[in-house]
Amino acid sequence: MLRKGITESFGSAIHALSTAHLTDGVIKRSKRMMLDTLGVGLLGTRTSVFNKVLQYSQSFTSEDRSTVWGKSNLVLPPCLAAFVNGVAVHSMDFDDTWHPATHPSGAVLPALLALAESLPQQPSGLDLLLAFNVGIEVQGRLLRFSREAYNIPERFHPPSVVGVMGSAAASAKLLGLSPTQCLHALAIAASSAGAPLANAATQTKPLHIGNATRRGLEAAQLAQMGLEGNPTILDMDSGLGVYYKDYHPSAMEDSTSSEFKWILESQDVAFKRIPAHLAMHWVVDAAMAARAKLENRVGKFDLDQIKKVTLRVPPSKYIDCPFPSTEHQARHSFQFNACSALLDDNVTVSSYGDDDRNRPALRELLAKVKVETPEGNEPSFDKMYCEAEVETEQGQRFWARCNTFYGHWRKPLSQEDLVQKFRAHASSVLSTEGVDGLIDIVANIEKEKNSSLLGLYLRMTSSQIEQLYRPRKNANCIF
């Protein structure tokens, strides 16, 4: 028997995986990912970048119409609904993060929900859950083709590379494509992969997720229509290998093999507590711990008495931003997040708004920050640490270090805190019935006969809420 090529093995596995392969652990973890993604996506519908792409997308029409999250009377063609909902998910950099580094859920869930609503026969919740996990699994497999992918990225934003492939795989699964069609869906999607990291910390970064989920869905639909791509796209250095300096692809095990195991089973995701780049969680926790030590010794935190703040962080150019001028730069700034934590003893959604970001006190404290990158502090979400040291005018030093923040896969959020996060975000857009309905549906998704109920609850806004958060001309971000 001839050994399958790598791309062929992926096409076969995507086609062959069934609901019987889902384990209790994978179901539990993926439901948490789905709930968190819906929550941050709903919150993201209040941002300027979401409203810009929504306005653009409303110029297109189609017979098939899918839900725009958090909008009771607004639908779009499925690919564009996936696009705008994907942008919403990443608009505040609040979505989950995996290892090796990527944002796995936002590239997959918006495509699946948009596609599910457009199908003649609505898929069950279990079918949706399977397709979601197929999309997550493919991303995890592709990330393991390169050691470079294990570190904080330097050249390409990972969701734009593996996310579009995960979306294509998930959409192909939900469409019930053949092994060959699944293979071509991946090949087609690969030609939409890749976004430069230079657009991180800008309004364009959320489009990386929106484009990934949209283009993956379109790739699967085109494959269903018979469009073909290179059937060895994953095997080749000139295929997906162009995105990595070291590329060593391997075949995906047959789902009937005893060797097959879901990556999500052994590698959980991180859920964010603040709307910022994941590395900011380490520096925020370290800064708050250093502040607590200072207050225990000398009383309240007094900016006038602070001489210097030293941050010891891993090397990474795109999250080293001394004086951020926009909310998106602030979400990618060790300095900003540490100083916000020191001043306020907390970091919240409003911390990145214009009023908080432009405070004279914050600018004064930022000028006192020094960043060091100690040897051995690796730029990896699995190995990095952050230290914060505050020195007073009197020469006192208060130091703290964070090795693992609460929400990291080594210290996961409790289910209670995850639901609380979702409720806080979703309730800013949806009615109480919509919020409670989504929590219940996701908690029991594997038992739901009709996945379209998710779209129903995602549209349950109140007219008062919609009026309050209607996009304003020239608005930056509505909090």
Side-chain angles (χ1 to χ4, degrees), residues 399-410:
W399 169 91
R401 171 169 168 156
C402 177
N403 292 315
T404 304
F405 67 87
Y406 179 50
H408 191 273
W409 45 82
R410 291 193 299 268

Side-chain angles (χ1 to χ4, degrees), residues 318-379:
Y318 88 104
I319 48 180
D320 180 2
C321 185
F323 294 97
S325 60
T326 69
E327 61 165 304
H328 297 283
Q329 289 179 356
R331 299 183 198 280
H332 295 75
S333 168
F334 280 124
Q335 297 91 328
F336 173 87
N337 285 275
C339 289
S340 293
L342 287 171
L343 281 177
D344 304 326
D345 199 24
N346 198 11
V347 178
T348 67
V349 170
S350 63
S351 298
Y352 304 90
D354 289 346
D355 290 344
D356 280 21
R357 200 179 64 249
N358 295 321
R359 288 176 290 169
L362 181 64
R363 309 299 290 185
E364 181 181 345
L365 187 56
L366 282 168
K368 299 180 180 183
V369 174
K370 177 184 178 183
V371 171
E372 297 177 354
T373 54
E375 186 176 350
N377 191 359
E378 298 183 40

Side-chain angles (χ1 to χ4, degrees), residues 397-461:
R397 296 173 185 265
F398 302 93
W399 169 91
R401 171 169 168 156
C402 177
N403 292 315
T404 304
F405 67 87
Y406 179 50
H408 191 273
W409 45 82
R410 291 193 299 268
K411 194 184 291 186
L413 282 183
S414 68
Q415 183 64 18
E416 180 181 1
D417 285 346
L418 188 75
V419 171
Q420 184 179 358
K421 176 188 173 184
F422 169 82
R423 191 178 291 279
H425 297 163
S427 62
S428 69
V429 178
L430 299 182
S431 65
T432 301
E433 184 179 0
V435 174
D436 291 341
L438 285 173
I439 292 172
D440 182 64
I441 290 290
V442 174
N444 299 283
I445 189 71
E446 71 273 28
K447 302 174 186 176
E448 293 294 334
K449 295 182 179 180
N450 190 337
S451 62
S452 66
L453 286 174
L454 284 167
L456 175 66
Y457 286 116
L458 284 165
R459 294 191 298 271
M460 281 191 179
T461 62

Side-chain angles (χ1 to χ4, degrees), residues 247-320:
Y247 186 69
H248 305 287
S250 58
M252 188 169 176
E253 300 94 341
D254 192 302
S255 58
T256 60
S257 167
S258 59
E259 296 181 4
F260 178 82
K261 290 182 175 58
W262 298 95
I263 291 175
L264 188 60
E265 189 86 68
S266 57
Q267 178 61 65
D268 201 358
V269 299
F271 293 111
K272 297 181 178 180
R273 302 186 341 263
I274 59 173
H277 185 278
L278 191 72
M280 302 305 112
H281 289 68
W282 277 272
V283 81
V284 164
D285 281 9
M288 290 174 63
R291 174 189 163 120
K293 290 181 178 181
L294 182 151
E295 290 180 323
N296 287 338
R297 178 72 63 84
V298 303
K300 69 175 183 178
F301 183 90
D302 184 351
L303 177 58
D304 292 335
Q305 296 303 310
I306 304 303
K307 180 179 180 180
K308 184 171 68 173
V309 176
T310 303
L311 305 177
R312 299 181 183 94
V313 300
S316 181
K317 292 181 180 179
Y318 88 104
I319 48 180
D320 180 2

